[in-house]
Amino acid sequence: MQPNRNDREHSPSQALLTDAEALNAALADLVRVYQFRDRDRICCYDISVTQCYALEALADHGPMRSQTLAGLLLLDKSTTTRVIDALERKGYVERRTDEDDARAVSLRITSNGRSLYDTINRGLIAQQAELLADLDPQVRASVTDVIRRLAKAAEARFVSGVSVGTCAPSCDTTGCS
């Protein structure tokens, strides 16, 4: 069957907008489910999702200063300090003198923090395995690659300030909080 003239005349920008709308809806659904999954799976260990992200960063990247952790978590420094304070009180993170600068403080995951993070992570990975079990191995690899690329592109935009601020450029500032 031959495409009709209207189909051929759809501009690439309209097709891109249609795809962007579909992606936005799909990601909103995925993020919503994962936020609840993460909250339910992580909070039963008496830490918040953000605290778990901090443990993950310290487990994956090793000791670091608070400002570096704030950058990895995409949080401001005061919020990061509160997250670390809570983890330190629970014995999952410790502050030590920085090896490179005795005037600075470095954050480190403790053995209890590492154990907790590993337990949580194993549970989350088991859930992912269940989701992927029915997919063809090539599809699994492709899905993971696309999600990783989208996450990197979104993070680059966020870090560069494109999507940062109290309101989007097109937002009526009277409606923003």
Side-chain angles (χ1 to χ4, degrees), residues 53-93:
Y53 291 156
L55 288 178
E56 177 182 42
L58 292 167
D60 290 350
H61 300 286
M64 66 185 75
R65 294 181 187 175
S66 183
Q67 187 170 359
T68 302
L69 181 61
L72 287 173
L73 298 176
L74 304 175
L75 297 173
D76 61 45
K77 192 173 177 192
S78 65
T79 302
T80 302
T81 298
R82 287 191 299 275
V83 167
I84 293 304
D85 287 347
L87 289 171
E88 186 178 37
R89 278 191 306 274
K90 296 173 184 183
Y92 300 133
V93 169

Side-chain angles (χ1 to χ4, degrees), residues 1-175:
M1 182 172 165
Q2 200 64 309
N4 69 34
R5 185 176 175 167
N6 287 340
D7 288 342
R8 284 186 304 226
E9 289 180 0
H10 267 208
S11 68
S13 62
Q14 182 57 45
L16 178 61
L17 288 175
T18 300
D19 291 345
E21 184 177 347
L23 176 63
N24 188 60
L27 285 176
D29 290 343
L30 182 66
V31 167
R32 189 176 309 107
V33 168
Y34 271 72
Q35 283 176 331
F36 287 114
R37 179 214 62 170
D38 287 353
R39 185 200 65 206
D40 292 347
R41 188 79 179 161
I42 294 168
C43 294
C44 66
Y45 292 98
D46 194 32
I47 65 170
S48 71
V49 173
T50 303
Q51 290 168 354
C52 189
Y53 291 156
L55 288 178
E56 177 182 42
L58 292 167
D60 290 350
H61 300 286
M64 66 185 75
R65 294 181 187 175
S66 183
Q67 187 170 359
T68 302
L69 181 61
L72 287 173
L73 298 176
L74 304 175
L75 297 173
D76 61 45
K77 192 173 177 192
S78 65
T79 302
T80 302
T81 298
R82 287 191 299 275
V83 167
I84 293 304
D85 287 347
L87 289 171
E88 186 178 37
R89 278 191 306 274
K90 296 173 184 183
Y92 300 133
V93 169
E94 62 185 0
R95 290 176 168 99
R96 288 193 180 170
T97 302
D98 190 88
E99 293 175 0
D100 297 328
D101 182 351
R103 299 168 296 169
V105 173
S106 185
L107 306 170
R108 299 168 193 272
I109 191 168
T110 64
S111 60
N112 285 342
R114 169 60 85 166
S115 177
L116 175 64
Y117 170 71
D118 288 345
T119 298
I120 293 169
N121 198 41
R122 278 193 305 274
L124 294 175
I125 290 171
Q127 286 183 333
Q128 300 302 5
E130 290 174 18
L131 290 174
L132 295 173
D134 293 333
L135 299 177
D136 180 84
Q138 289 178 323
V139 171
R140 293 192 308 246
S142 295
V143 165
T144 300
D145 180 58
V146 168
I147 291 172
R148 190 175 287 125
R149 289 172 60 194
L150 287 170
K152 283 182 180 181
E155 181 180 11
R157 289 180 57 84
F158 183 85
V159 170
S160 71
V162 171
S163 61
V164 178
T166 55
C167 295
S170 61
C171 179
D172 173 5
T173 57
T174 61

